[in-house]
Amino acid sequence: MADVTFTVDGKKLTAPAGTLLIDACRAAGIEIPAFCYYPGLSLQAACRMCVVRVEKMPKLQTACTTAVTEGMVVSTETDETKQARKATIELLLGNHPLDCPVCDAGGECELQDMTFKYGAHESKYVETKQHREEQKWSPVVYFDRPRCILCYRCVRVCGEGMDVWALGVENRGVTSVIAPNEKDHLDCEECGMCIDICPVGALTSGTYRYKTRPWEMNHVGTVCTHCGDGCKTTLGVRPTDDGVEIIRGDNRDKSGINGDFLCIKGRYAFDFANHKDRLTKPLIRQADGKLAPVSWEQALDFAAKKLGEIRDSRGGNAIGVIGSNRTTNEETYLLQKFARTILRTNNVDHHRTADYAAFAAALKGHAGREASLRDFLSARAILLLGNDPTNQHPALAWQVRTNVRHNRARIYVANHAEVKLRRQAKAAVDLPADAYASFVEYLAGKDGGFEANDTSAAFRDAIRQEESLLVAFGSEFRGRDILVLVDFGLSLPNTKFACLGDYANSRGAADMGLLPDLLPGYVPVTAAAHFAEEYGSALPTQPGLDLVQMLDAAGRGDLSALYVVGSNPATRYGIDPSALKNTFLIVQDMFLTETAALADVVFPAANLYEKTGTVTNTYGDLQLVKKAADKSGVRTDFEIIVRLADKLGADPKQLVPFGKGVRADFGQTRGAQSGEADRHAVWLAANHLEPKLSPFDPFAILDEIQRLVPAYDVPRLNLLTGNDEHLKSELVQIDASADRRDLVLPSNDLLYTSGTLGRYSAKLTEVVESHTILMKPAEAAAD
Amino acid sequence: MATETTTIFSPELAARFDKLVTQYPVRRSALIPMLLYAQDEVGYLSPAVIAEVAVRVGIKESDVLSVLSYYSLLRTKPAGKFNVQVCTNICCMLRGGNELFEHCKKRLGVGNKGVTPDGVFSLEEVECIGACSWAPAVQINYDFHENLTPESMDSLLEDYRAKAGK
Ligand code: SF4
Ligand code: SF4
Ligand code: SF4
Ligand code: FES
Ligand code: FES
């Protein structure tokens, strides 16, 4: 719309006609207080905090509902508005318990801030306050009614934002109250969005309530360790006797790719770190067949000695390595480098949840065709093939819903299941579970394979008329089907794609070469090119065994050693424990998983919240993870790999080139100021240098990744400041014609589960159980 | 929906509802009229009424509850045959509304929201009913009675009791 010019507090401002006054002011740095207004949600105009004086208008106007017009003259802070706001706060405080000293929101409460600003600390009311007991609405949501100021933010975010509609308002006037959908409890998605958005402490979290005060925590912005969406989450941490514990997860600065959103896992499922079964000492299997704690030195020596012996006597091919979907890119990269250069084997794999290699092959050479998670917020049209984002990619589902609400994006859903996003769909087609591939051929114009009807015909026509399209597809698509889909997409005017995989760094695991036939960046092991030079040792050139083949080989007695990092194949692939009895098994994990229980050596590992590095979400958005928590006794996977390499007699500097790239300086350049560690760090940061003084520094490996994997060569500074960078996915060196097994095994995780990790999260377990209770009556009724 | 077999309403009302939901651009706009008609027929908004109305307008029962709890005109408990609503908001209060309400309590022998044992009357204290110019005012079912005094209230109640007999 055309721009209009208007005056606020004497400043001339310009904004498109129709912009809300409150937004226009905020954009110009003029803060207008607001309780009920929340950007992106529908307007409520319930609180009257945002009142301003607009010249020629009879009464004070609410800035949250007034659109700017040409020539408008506004004053935002006058005695009159101050008085009005003060009166509003006085009314709000009329029945407010003022229990700020124990309230979770104390210190970060908008009502406190406003009372402080407008000084409504005296009450003229003599009526007794109405007290109501706190209510537990679900394992994660608690409601403290007297604190509620009835801004309706929670109602709107749950309804409009989440499309759950679990919260409502009952009664009216002074008796109005926020009510859950099941009378005294909630039946909902447990996302906690309502808690985060509550300006006061009326809605509180089952995880965090009454634990601490906000100012007693440090806050670290990092990336969620659960699904493949890679939401930014802020962890509130506090020192304990044995490290640093996480006590809160929330979405503090809203600067991440997830915007306002976090699902239950990003917000609450960090508690696995404090699970009582967490391993903190290395274990070695003793003569009596039992695992017993030993020192790190002993465990590393023992593991390295055995690995070395097996490598030297039977060759690298007798050793297998299984990596993780949740370690950082640097760790993943390091693991395959360790396997290939030190163990001299290509038997490297991981639990694959999407066929990223086929996707890379299909996109090769097509620049700008991979969709970032951000793109789903603004795309005009989205085609969703398979998958159930509400359960498997909650942040994606949020982006899609928001896009529909804000921009009326057109959503097309083709699925074999009743996925919830169909509610937002402009058109939907029911597919038989095995008809995805033929449906794509049908979309591309090849009739015959797919049983068409009027609905599918209209669907096809609508899609082909879109001027631009985002296509997101689930693990229903693998191998050649992906190629066909991408080819079809490329035949349309302007299409981007997203391949949906399951875990926090599933994408990174594939990109970083945890595959038997592909090096980082999908370079074939048969033509290792610059890797051979860079790694400085002869690389095995034959493709190795994939995960299933490794397990088969172990069963036959052909695999003498298996090194498993952050993975639980025993459960995932239902391995018979006896199959591994002749294999020397090293497992690196947080818990004694089913796989670790079979191991000869177990190393207690740190989790993603306890380390620094980068991860790649399933859309190819690269982000920095920052160390938030700590647990004494455990070590990062990075450190364990380096130490193992060292014990195997390798040169750590060869593995982690911490002397290459930008060199740190030891203070020489600063003369008299040298020797002060903190100043040194400040100086380095100011000069965009990083101290790479240790072989445990993941940034030394990031340097190498950026040098050797062109897709990852993205600007580093933006990454370091906590922003996402999208990969240049077209720059892969994959051999697209090669025939490969995809071996995709979807995790089938839902909203409240998260593989092995989820089982160790007390909160997720509690929620799963409470929902089973909720579901029971309905089940009983059904039979 | 298959109203013929499942509805709890009379066939006429069910037919009326079937039509009602088609008359608004958004289905849920039919909610309030539907609740009013249902209340007229059933006497109050029982859980069964709420459940069926929710299905008919395609929203959740908790949403129906949110809406109906906003309006003092809608009730979830049975009322007497004649629901006496005495206004005690400012204008009526200044002109004796409170006294009138106290009088009704004594006369009918019930408190606020009470129902007489014979089920003829129920009593309710309400906010402004928009009859301020003729305060104090009372609304009995859909009829307004204005400029009342305890005496005229008594005869009004007698009239209604007489009607109840018929
Ligand atoms: S936790 Fe999420 S789904 Fe549940 S009531 Fe709150 S906003 Fe709604
Ligand atoms: S609970 Fe919080 S977010 Fe919801 S209406 Fe009350 S104050 Fe607002
Ligand atoms: S949507 Fe995925 S990445 Fe985001 S908070 Fe949930 S589990 Fe974590
Ligand atoms: S912010 Fe404008 S009325 Fe609440
Ligand atoms: S105050 Fe009683 S009708 Fe308005």
Side-chain angles (χ1 to χ4, degrees), chain A residues 359 362-372 375 468-471 486 489-490 493-498 619-620 711 726-732:
Chain A
F359 187 49
L363 281 186
K364 183 177 177 181
H366 299 289
R369 293 304 194 147
E370 188 180 23
S372 150
D375 290 332
S468 67
L469 188 66
L470 269 193
V471 181
V486 170
L490 292 175
N494 186 9
T495 310
K496 286 188 178 187
F497 307 88
Y619 315 92
H726 200 254
L727 301 183
K728 296 176 264 182
S729 347
E730 69 280 11
L731 301 180
V732 288

Side-chain angles (χ1 to χ4, degrees), chain A residues 112-147:
Chain A
Q112 275 185 341
D113 295 348
M114 290 301 142
T115 310
F116 183 77
K117 182 162 176 199
Y118 293 101
H121 53 283
E122 261 172 87
S123 176
K124 302 187 187 79
Y125 288 91
V126 290
E127 279 80 7
T128 33
K129 299 202 179 202
Q130 300 263 348
H131 179 70
R132 290 284 190 291
E133 290 302 321
E134 242 181 2
Q135 299 168 20
K136 177 179 178 175
W137 281 352
S138 87
V140 302
V141 186
Y142 284 70
F143 182 56
D144 203 328
R145 173 172 168 186
R147 291 184 191 147

Side-chain angles (χ1 to χ4, degrees), chain A residues 262-328:
Chain A
L262 276 181
C263 81
I264 176 172
K265 287 184 264 189
R267 214 183 289 274
Y268 303 119
F270 50 75
D271 52 353
F272 52 77
N274 299 326
H275 194 280
K276 62 174 179 13
D277 293 342
R278 177 96 191 251
L279 298 175
T280 54
K281 289 200 179 78
L283 308 171
I284 289 185
R285 192 165 302 281
Q286 308 293 317
D288 63 359
K290 297 219 172 74
L291 285 167
V294 296
S295 72
W296 272 96
E297 207 59 20
Q298 271 174 292
L300 287 164
D301 274 336
F302 180 60
K305 188 162 150 285
K306 290 287 278 187
L307 277 181
E309 278 169 17
I310 292 167
R311 176 192 62 189
D312 298 339
S313 62
R314 305 204 45 202
N317 286 342
I319 307 178
V321 173
I322 296 175
S324 176
N325 276 304
R326 297 204 212 259
T327 51
T328 63

Side-chain angles (χ1 to χ4, degrees), chain A residues 379-569:
Chain A
R380 303 300 306 134
I382 298 169
L383 169 62
L384 191 66
L385 293 166
N387 201 272
D388 177 6
T390 309
N391 271 303
Q392 297 167 290
H393 292 274
L396 169 64
W398 167 269
Q399 305 283 84
V400 169
R401 287 192 304 264
T402 310
N403 192 0
V404 171
R405 260 189 316 125
H406 291 175
N407 313 316
R408 302 213 183 98
R410 294 173 293 279
I411 312 300
Y412 302 93
V413 175
N415 210 303
H416 61 281
E418 272 304 319
V419 298
K420 190 177 149 206
L421 274 184
R422 285 190 187 218
R423 292 197 209 161
Q424 273 72 28
K426 174 171 178 259
V429 173
D430 287 308
L431 295 183
D434 58 359
Y436 284 96
S438 59
F439 182 64
V440 168
E441 289 187 339
Y442 168 73
L443 288 183
K446 260 184 243 144
D447 290 346
F450 179 75
E451 225 172 282
N453 54 28
D454 287 352
T455 319
S456 63
F459 190 93
R460 171 162 83 175
D461 289 346
I463 293 215
R464 292 165 120 202
Q465 269 161 30
E466 290 296 347
E467 277 168 16
S468 67
L469 188 66
L470 269 193
V471 181
F473 59 92
S475 57
E476 290 85 354
F477 287 83
R478 301 160 193 194
R480 212 191 69 87
D481 296 348
I482 295 183
L483 191 67
V484 173
L485 173 59
V486 170
D487 276 350
F488 159 65
L490 292 175
S491 74
L492 301 175
N494 186 9
T495 310
K496 286 188 178 187
F497 307 88
C499 170
L500 303 175
D502 292 343
Y503 293 114
N505 207 24
S506 289
R507 173 64 181 268
D511 283 359
M512 292 298 110
L514 278 187
L515 295 166
D517 53 342
L518 298 172
L519 288 158
Y522 303 97
V523 174
V525 293
T526 47
H530 54 302
F531 281 93
E533 272 161 55
E534 187 81 30
Y535 284 6
S537 66
L539 291 176
T541 52
Q542 280 302 310
L545 304 177
D546 60 38
L547 197 150
V548 174
Q549 290 166 334
M550 281 190 247
L551 296 174
D552 289 347
R556 289 194 310 268
D558 291 342
L559 198 74
S560 305
L562 184 62
Y563 179 24
V564 179
V565 175
S567 183
N568 190 10

Side-chain angles (χ1 to χ4, degrees), chain A residues 164 168-172 181, chain B residues 60 62-63 65-66 69-70 72:
Chain A
V164 172
V169 191
E170 281 177 12
N171 307 328
R172 68 159 159 182
N181 56 358
Chain B
K60 297 197 174 176
S62 57
D63 283 339
L65 208 63
S66 295
S69 62
Y70 182 87
S72 52

Side-chain angles (χ1 to χ4, degrees), chain A residues 60-89:
Chain A
L60 292 178
Q61 301 293 312
T62 44
C64 70
T65 54
T66 306
V68 293
T69 52
E70 184 64 40
M72 191 182 238
V73 180
V74 185
S75 324
T76 67
E77 285 281 344
T78 63
D79 287 345
E80 187 190 21
T81 60
K82 276 187 205 147
Q83 183 50 43
R85 289 173 192 159
K86 182 171 169 179
T88 297
I89 296 169

Side-chain angles (χ1 to χ4, degrees), chain A residues 33-37 45-50 62 64:
Chain A
F35 286 130
C36 68
Y37 177 71
C47 73
R48 321 315 281 187
M49 273 306 283
C50 64
T62 44
C64 70

